[in-house]
Amino acid sequence: GVSIYDFSKIQFYYKILKFDLIQLPFNVIDNRVLKKNILKFLKEKKVEIHARSIFLQGLLLDKKNLNKVENSYKFLNEWFNWLDKNNFSPISTCLNYVSKYKEIDKIIIGVQSNIELQEILDSLHFRKNIVFPKWKSKISKTLIDPSKWKK
């Protein structure tokens, strides 16, 4: 299998490696795989797809992260305001988004506490038909790629 961040050469990599499993970032703001029909391509090749970074390294879970990444405040503020307005939990909303795509075979998550783990487990049994908005704030490439975050 392979684990990627850059989708631009995925078909090239597949031709060379013929991998049968892929880990890729996928979340409410990083859905590049949808825009480029990558999920469809991978499923046609019978590749098992594991979504990772569904909480964007925790950035989408806590308002304390509003200024953690350069140029992210406007979007993250919009995200948390939307969650508050709709009374949505960040964890269950992120899980809900990723789990609605049947092409995703597995979801890889990281947890920081027993409470967080319990909320994740509880969210797996509770699905809402959430209509996600078109975000007004610009989502920068820096925001969706943790390798570009300044430490």
Side-chain angles (χ1 to χ4, degrees), residues 9-62:
K9 296 180 182 171
I10 197 157
Q11 292 173 334
F12 172 76
Y13 295 145
Y14 182 81
K15 285 178 187 173
I16 294 171
L17 301 172
K18 300 283 191 254
F19 51 85
D20 59 0
L21 186 143
I22 190 167
Q23 284 186 8
L24 45 79
F26 186 59
N27 56 60
V28 297
I29 61 168
D30 185 0
N31 50 25
R32 295 171 288 167
V33 294
L34 299 177
K35 295 174 185 160
K36 298 182 185 219
N37 288 321
I38 292 169
L39 291 180
K40 182 180 176 191
F41 167 78
L42 293 169
K43 279 297 143 187
E44 287 172 356
K45 302 297 184 190
K46 298 185 180 1
V47 174
E48 185 172 334
I49 302 170
H50 295 191
R52 70 164 193 278
S53 202
I54 69 163
F55 305 132
L56 196 56
Q57 307 293 320
L59 208 61
L60 298 171
L61 300 182
D62 195 332

Side-chain angles (χ1 to χ4, degrees), residues 71-109:
N71 298 320
S72 67
Y73 179 86
K74 281 180 82 173
F75 171 77
L76 290 174
N77 191 50
E78 182 181 350
W79 162 251
F80 287 114
N81 285 339
W82 177 76
L83 290 171
D84 289 344
K85 178 182 168 193
N86 291 286
N87 200 28
F88 291 154
S89 148
I91 287 176
S92 56
T93 303
C94 289
L95 278 165
N96 196 294
Y97 180 79
V98 174
S99 65
K100 75 180 186 172
Y101 291 92
K102 61 183 180 287
E103 299 89 350
I104 303 293
D105 297 298
K106 305 273 191 228
I107 299 173
I108 300 168
I109 57 168

